[in-house]
Amino acid sequence: MGEEEKSLNFIEHIIEDDLRAEYVKDQLRFRFPPEPNGYLHIGHASSICLNFGLGIKYNAPVNLRFDDTNPAKEEKEYVDAIKKDIKWLGFDWDTECYASDYFQQLYDWAVVLIQEGKAYVDSQTSEEIADQKGTPTEPGRESPYRNRSIEENLSLFEGMKNGDFKEGDHVLRAKIDMASSNMLMRDPVMYRVLHKAHHRTNTDWCIYPMYDWTHGESDYIEQVSHSLCTLEFLPHRELYNWFLDQLVSENRLRPKQREFARRNLSHTVVSKRKLLQLVENNIVSGWDDPRMPTISGLRRRGYTPESIRNFADTIGIAKRDNVVDVSLLEFHVREHLNKIAPRVMAVLNPLKVIITNYEEGKEEWLDAENNPEDEKSGTRKVPFSRELYIEQEDFREQANRKFFRLKLGGEVRLKNGYIIKAESCTKDEDGNVVEVQCTYDPKSKSGSGTEESLRKVKGTLHWVSSSHAIAAEVRLYDRLFTDATPDGHKDKEFMDFVNPNSLQKITGHMEPSLKDAKPGDRFQFQRLGYFNVDLDSTPEHLVFNRTVTLRDTWAKIEQKT
RNA sequence: UGGCCUAUGGUGUAAUUGGUAACACAGCUGAUUUUGGUUCAGUCGUUCAAGGUUCGAGUCCUUGUAGGCCAACCA
């Protein structure tokens, strides 16, 4: 019941007010209305969580409606990807709808508008129409075709529908007010001729309705009570209402458009158009590249639906411009993955360690906890032997007291194993350490209960047995852009900020339990971060993505000195 | 030179609708820890400005300032 204490966002306040004033709960209905012209991104996730979350909160139906009125940009591929992403996020829609299902109804209504003298066919070029539109500070001029007879309009509009005209010959316009301070009210175009096949209606139509003439009417047909969209549609509201005024009947629910600010994420772009540019210019491998802020990219990267929902929940919804720090998103994945990801050991930057007093050829299988956060997760066996790998960063010949890791003459615990002491090291001709010779304390074995095993040493390192380790490709990701707001600069293009080093591929050495890992499986590589198995992975060639690093306090300490 | 929207810590969002400015992240301290992870405790810091109404203003009014949106046969 703690849920009820949560304060309402401004949309919920509006709904509560409406519930008190005019609606009953049963009339509430929402919709998520993507255009199938690209993949969904983290900004859409916010909108999805808003609309479907409202549906859950008020036990109201939520439609998935494809706003497919522009066949030039839309494809079935996108429809399928969108449906997959919404389901993956954990939501389900009441009815799958398409604006294209309403083409006939929309046409019939348009004819009614013509008959009532509220719409006319304009036969000018788009340039002429644009020229007459005026500017925000000057009124527009009326089209010479504005006062055509109803009969002529009717016959021309029918001709448009029948394919008698080329693209651009005519458009249908609403007759509103060329002097309105709202540019959208200056006789907006309702229909244009487009001789293009539509992914659902194929060539049935060669005129297509514009967004404004479609959206509110679709909401009305579906009896959506609250049509929520982003703030850039705010000026459209007047037109949305004008179109509704022409056709709503008293006894049917009249939809309301309400607007909220789109969510921006730092160090990335959240716009289908810009994401498409990244794909087309091969900056990334595709819409689902793990560096992309698309839902499919985040999924491939290893994000969980829960973490994205929690993120959307935390940032909430409001009306002001915003740039949410990506570290908040990262916090939510870590929070979730910490609870569910099995711990394993993997060495990404190997440095050979020889335990000189450990018998050659001997191997031991040690017990390792799968997840300290989950008692039921049990343990697994990891092999130990004379020759191991640790991370290069975990050894220094000498270091100060703040360095808890291995140094000459110093001791360290090997996680789930023994305490070792570095005795000497060998270097190559360039002076790089290539091998460390250590001794181990045979009585210090983890979990053995001996006095020595309970000894406290400052550092604990992860490691793998070099002969048992399996090699795997590991893909390390960094932010796609070097700037926090790549598309927020007036003098520069967002493309100027693409990080050239956002992907690094290396070969890591994994503990052998990982050999059966399947695409999608998530792990914590201890002390390194959370990783998942990539779609490209095969049993012969494992591929891991780093979802996110662990919080790294050491990196901060080191940076300061 | 127009119309509309917005303004709360570094970031995001709240504030019983005029009554103690709070939650999360980030940052910083410390404790715990066989992950420099987790967990725990503490800490830092906020109402764009100036007037006004009021016993009382983040909230209402006025003016200003700053940012955003609007002139696609895109959505």
Side-chain angles (χ1 to χ4, degrees):
Chain A
M1 286 293 116
E3 292 285 322
E4 297 195 19
E5 286 161 32
K6 225 186 138 199
S7 54
L8 305 180
N9 62 44
F10 85 99
I11 296 280
E12 291 166 332
H13 279 297
I14 289 172
I15 293 170
E16 293 291 333
D17 288 347
D18 287 342
L19 245 21
R20 274 188 291 271
E22 45 184 314
Y23 294 161
V24 296
K25 216 174 161 189
D26 287 350
Q27 290 177 297
L28 293 182
R29 183 183 283 269
F30 307 96
R31 109 264 91 120
F32 174 66
E35 182 189 12
N37 67 342
Y39 282 63
L40 261 24
H41 53 64
I42 185 75
H44 294 109
S46 255
S47 177
I48 290 167
C49 291
L50 204 222
N51 282 293
F52 286 96
L54 252 16
I56 291 164
K57 181 182 168 103
Y58 291 103
N59 193 28
V62 183
N63 288 350
L64 168 61
R65 181 169 73 233
F66 291 96
D67 227 333
D68 55 349
T69 58
N70 185 0
K73 288 186 179 173
E74 296 153 7
E75 289 172 34
K76 171 99 172 27
E77 176 201 344
Y78 296 131
V79 170
D80 296 336
I82 288 167
K83 285 160 69 174
K84 179 179 174 181
D85 287 348
I86 297 170
K87 283 191 176 153
W88 178 75
L89 275 177
F91 296 109
D92 213 350
W93 49 88
D94 182 70
T95 312
E96 181 177 329
C97 308
Y98 294 81
S100 53
D101 287 342
Y102 313 137
F103 282 172
Q104 185 61 49
Q105 172 71 81
L106 258 12
Y107 178 82
D108 294 343
W109 275 333
V111 168
V112 171
L113 254 61
I114 294 172
Q115 285 165 342
E116 292 176 351
K118 292 169 179 164
Y120 62 97
V121 173
D122 197 333
S123 308
Q124 302 180 94
T125 64
S126 63
E127 291 75 21
E128 284 167 328
I129 291 175
D131 194 50
Q132 287 160 4
K133 203 139 214 179
T135 68
T137 52
E138 309 155 30
R141 282 167 287 125
E142 294 188 352
S143 163
Y145 298 97
R146 198 171 198 259
N147 294 309
R148 275 217 254 239
S149 71
I150 289 171
E151 292 66 35
E152 193 182 356
N153 281 322
L154 251 16
S155 112
L156 282 169
F157 188 47
E158 186 167 3
M160 284 167 65
K161 186 190 84 160
N162 292 340
D164 298 345
F165 303 112
K166 299 193 305 293
E167 291 185 12
D169 281 357
H170 308 284
V171 291
L172 184 72
R173 291 227 261 167
K175 193 189 283 189
I176 308 181
D177 177 9
M178 289 307 289
S180 172
S181 60
N182 183 348
M183 302 286 292
L184 286 153
M185 299 299 278
R186 327 250 258 224
D187 289 10
V189 173
M190 294 171 67
Y191 275 93
R192 76 283 212 189
V193 175
L194 239 37
H195 290 282
K196 293 202 170 60
H198 184 280
H199 64 100
R200 294 185 74 247
T201 61
N202 201 8
T203 52
D204 292 353
W205 295 86
C206 60
I207 57 171
Y208 290 91
M210 301 289 289
Y211 166 84
D212 290 295
W213 172 239
T214 309
H215 206 91
E217 291 31 69
S218 302
D219 289 336
Y220 180 61
I221 291 167
E222 294 171 21
Q223 289 288 281
V224 167
S225 60
H226 297 264
S227 181
L228 309 175
C229 60
T230 46
L231 232 29
E232 62 267 30
F233 289 95
L234 202 151
H236 293 248
R237 185 148 126 194
E238 192 181 357
L239 180 54
Y240 180 101
N241 287 332
W242 189 89
F243 279 136
L244 246 27
D245 285 340
Q246 313 312 315
L247 49 90
V248 277
S249 58
E250 284 288 306
N251 54 349
R252 299 201 77 205
L253 177 139
R254 181 192 169 113
K256 295 180 178 197
Q257 173 181 306
R258 292 295 180 268
E259 311 82 9
F260 59 91
R262 62 165 352 119
R263 317 317 319 238
N264 298 299
L265 230 208
S266 75
H267 300 279
T268 190
V269 291
V270 192
S271 135
K272 273 194 257 184
R273 202 195 92 238
K274 290 170 186 160
L275 294 174
L276 180 63
Q277 264 187 69
L278 293 171
V279 173
E280 286 180 338
N281 292 328
N282 293 313
I283 306 290
V284 295
S285 62
W287 286 98
D288 71 341
D289 186 293
R291 291 165 292 180
M292 289 282 269
T294 51
I295 298 187
S296 49
L298 292 167
R299 173 169 60 232
R300 186 164 175 186
R301 177 81 170 254
Y303 275 73
T304 62
E306 289 88 334
S307 63
I308 295 175
R309 279 190 260 124
N310 288 340
F311 170 72
D313 227 48
T314 306
I315 62 178
I317 211 78
K319 288 182 83 166
R320 51 176 154 156
D321 290 344
N322 59 82
V323 183
V324 182
D325 200 305
V326 69
S327 67
L328 185 56
L329 179 59
E330 292 172 345
F331 162 78
H332 283 287
V333 225
R334 288 196 188 102
E335 184 192 43
H336 188 215
L337 258 17
N338 176 50
K339 291 193 201 106
I340 62 163
R343 272 58 169 172
V344 294
M345 292 196 286
V347 173
L348 300 187
N349 246 319
L351 172 62
K352 188 164 276 185
V353 165
I354 307 289
I355 315 287
T356 53
N357 59 339
Y358 195 87
E359 194 181 323
E360 256 177 89
K362 180 181 173 182
E363 67 172 36
E364 275 180 278
W365 288 78
L366 307 170
D367 289 317
E369 212 177 4
N370 286 328
N371 188 346
E373 302 292 315
D374 177 9
E375 286 173 18
K376 296 189 296 288
S377 68
T379 61
R380 68 187 186 287
K381 297 282 188 184
V382 293
F384 186 86
S385 68
R386 188 172 195 268
E387 240 184 82
L388 313 169
Y389 289 133
I390 64 169
E391 300 288 345
Q392 283 176 23
E393 301 82 67
D394 284 343
F395 174 77
R396 284 183 195 171
E397 287 182 82
Q398 45 204 327
N400 65 25
R401 259 178 322 197
K402 281 189 178 165
F403 187 79
F404 300 164
R405 288 114 109 128
L406 192 61
K407 52 194 167 194
L408 288 181
E411 282 184 321
V412 92
R413 168 161 306 271
L414 294 177
K415 178 89 185 165
N416 307 311
Y418 298 95
I419 293 173
I420 59 169
K421 183 177 183 183
E423 308 286 356
S424 57
C425 64
T426 50
K427 301 182 195 174
D428 63 16
E429 57 269 24
D430 298 323
N432 303 311
V433 176
V434 292
E435 184 184 295
V436 184
Q437 294 85 36
C438 297
T439 53
Y440 85 120
D441 177 356
K443 291 182 186 158
S444 65
K445 183 169 161 183
S446 290
S448 63
T450 62
E451 198 179 310
E452 291 83 349
S453 75
L454 299 173
R455 248 177 74 212
K456 301 282 177 200
V457 289
K458 196 62 188 167
T460 301
L461 306 185
H462 64 278
W463 52 274
V464 292
S465 165
S466 63
S467 61
H468 297 86
I470 50 177
E473 179 179 331
V474 180
R475 299 177 181 169
L476 306 175
Y477 301 102
D478 198 355
R479 315 201 145 147
L480 235 195
F481 295 92
T482 53
D483 189 84
T485 53
D487 50 3
H489 300 264
K490 288 208 167 99
D491 50 333
K492 281 189 173 167
E493 272 295 296
F494 77 98
M495 284 290 204
D496 297 342
F497 297 102
V498 169
N499 176 4
N501 304 313
S502 58
L503 169 61
Q504 193 192 349
K505 293 185 184 186
I506 60 172
T507 299
H509 300 77
M510 319 279 145
E511 65 168 68
S513 74
L514 247 19
K515 73 175 187 324
D516 297 320
K518 301 276 181 303
D521 287 354
R522 303 182 178 95
F523 301 93
Q524 185 198 87
F525 290 0
Q526 280 179 116
R527 301 210 302 135
L528 297 175
Y530 295 100
F531 293 74
N532 79 333
V533 182
D534 189 76
L535 261 30
D536 291 343
S537 193
T538 64
E540 295 72 40
H541 182 77
L542 287 173
V543 181
F544 289 89
N545 296 312
R546 183 172 67 197
T547 308
V548 66
T549 62
L550 257 28
R551 257 185 87 226
D552 193 351
T553 324
W554 167 239
K556 287 174 198 156
I557 295 169
E558 214 179 14
Q559 234 173 35
K560 282 184 203 163
T561 55

